Amino acid sequence: MDQTLGQPEVGDAFGCALRDRLCGSTEPMVLEREDGYIHVGRLDFLNGWDARAEWAVSRALGRVLDVGAGAGRASLALQARDQQVLALDVSPGAVEVCQRRGVREVFRGTAEDAVEAGLTATFDSVLLLGNNLGLLRSADHARSYLDTLGSLLTDNGVIVGTSVTPYDAGDDAMFAYHEQNPRRGRMVGQATQRIRYRRAATSWYDWLSLSPDELADLARPAGWRVTDLFPGRAYAVVLAKHCTAGHGGRWSSE
Ligand SMILES: C[S@@+](CC[C@H](N)C(=O)[O-])C[C@H]1O[C@@H](n2cnc3c(N)ncnc32)[C@H](O)[C@@H]1O
C-alpha cells in the first residue's frame, strides 16, 4: 500500500454526497463504525418518505425547528403545509442543498449555536427526522441536549423524533458490538462512527439508537415524557414536557 496517498480527507462528506445527489449522482454513502463494520446507506434523503415520516411530520405543529435537516425533505413538506420552519444543520453542503431546493429559512450550526444566536423560546416543535434522536449521542449527553432543545421551544412545545431500537438488530457483527457496549459504560445502541463518501470522511462521532423505553427513561429526569408513539423497530415519538405544578398544560404528570 502506498502510504503517501494518505487517508480520507476529513470534512463535510455528508454534504458533498447531498450536493452530488442533487446533480443526479447515485454514488453510495457509507457508514463506517469504529470496529470496521460498514453499512451502505439506502435512505433517500432527498425524496424518501414513508408512513413513519408522515406520522412524525404531521405531529410537528406550529413553527418548527428541523434539527439536522439534511437535504430538507421535512422542511419542504412543512412549507408545503404553510407551516413556518427553520432548517438547521451543521453541514455546509446540507444547508446549501436545502436552499437550492427551496427551503426558505436555514441556519448553519448546532442547536447550541441556535441558542447562542438568541433563538430561545421561538419554536412550537423540534423535529428530529431521519433517526436524528441519534443526536442524543449518549446517556450523559442526552440530558444536556434535551435541555438545549427545550430552551428553543415555547412552553407547550414538543420534540418529535425518530429512531431505531438496537435490539433485534440483524447480524452477528451488530450484535457483538452492541453486546460489548455496556462493558465500556455505554448504552447498548451507542455507536462511534463516521460517514465516508468517495475520498471524504466526517469526523468520528457518537450516535445513539435506543428503544422507546430507554428514551422514556433518559427523558424523564430531563422533564420530558413520551406522549405518542408510532410503534415498530423503526419508530417515532412525541416528547412533551411534564406538567409543572399549577401550569395547567395539556399533559398530566406520571
Ligand atoms: C441522518 S441525516 C438526517 C437528515 C434529515 N433529517 C432527513 O430525515 O432527511 C443527519 C443530519 O444531521 C446533521 N447533523 C449531524 N450532527 C448535527 C448536529 N450536532 N447539529 C445539527 N445537525 C447535525 C447532518 O449533517 C445530517 O444532515
Side-chain angles (χ1 to χ4, degrees), residues 50-122:
D50 57 15
R52 184 172 64 126
E54 181 56 36
W55 187 97
V57 166
S58 66
R59 279 156 179 80
L61 303 176
R63 177 164 159 74
V64 180
L65 180 63
D66 182 9
V67 172
R73 62 189 177 124
S75 292
L76 289 170
L78 287 160
Q79 278 185 189
R81 295 166 199 207
D82 289 328
Q83 276 178 253
Q84 279 185 26
V85 55
L86 175 67
L88 172 149
D89 206 292
V90 281
S91 155
V95 169
E96 181 192 320
V97 168
C98 279
Q99 287 177 306
R100 284 168 58 189
R101 297 180 79 207
V103 177
R104 286 190 285 270
E105 279 190 77
V106 296
F107 182 93
R108 177 151 77 83
T110 62
E112 291 83 354
D113 295 330
V115 172
E116 288 257 310
L119 295 177
T120 47
T122 46

Side-chain angles (χ1 to χ4, degrees), residues 12 14-15 18 29 43-49 53 66-75 88-95 101 107-113 127-132 135 137 141 145 162 193 195 202 205-207:
D12 187 17
F14 190 75
L18 291 184
M29 244 186 284
L43 189 58
D44 176 358
F45 286 109
L46 264 63
N47 301 309
W49 207 251
D66 182 9
V67 172
R73 62 189 177 124
S75 292
L88 172 149
D89 206 292
V90 281
S91 155
V95 169
R101 297 180 79 207
F107 182 93
R108 177 151 77 83
T110 62
E112 291 83 354
D113 295 330
L127 182 63
L128 296 165
L129 198 69
N131 300 326
N132 273 359
L135 292 170
R137 300 208 184 285
H141 184 255
Y145 199 63
T162 61
Q193 61 189 38
I195 289 166
T202 63
Y205 59 89
D206 282 334
W207 191 255

Side-chain angles (χ1 to χ4, degrees), residues 147-182:
D147 286 349
T148 299
L149 297 182
S151 71
L152 291 162
L153 287 165
T154 52
D155 280 351
N156 285 334
V158 295
I159 299 172
V160 184
T162 61
S163 182
V164 178
T165 177
Y167 304 99
D168 319 318
D171 60 37
D172 288 351
M174 188 68 88
F175 181 70
Y177 185 80
H178 286 158
E179 198 181 40
Q180 51 74 44
N181 258 337

Side-chain angles (χ1 to χ4, degrees), residues 133-147 181-182 184-191 206-210 214-222:
L133 281 166
L135 292 170
L136 296 177
R137 300 208 184 285
S138 67
D140 281 349
H141 184 255
R143 174 69 193 261
S144 65
Y145 199 63
L146 288 168
D147 286 349
N181 258 337
R184 298 164 72 197
R186 294 152 55 108
M187 287 182 69
V188 167
Q190 189 174 334
D206 282 334
W207 191 255
L208 188 62
S209 300
L210 73 184
E214 287 173 321
L215 176 64
D217 287 346
L218 281 186
R220 198 173 299 113

Side-chain angles (χ1 to χ4, degrees), residues 225 241-245 250-254:
R225 69 189 189 97
K241 274 276 180 196
H242 287 296
C243 265
T244 49
R250 281 186 284 159
W251 304 285
S252 57
S253 312
E254 285 175 333

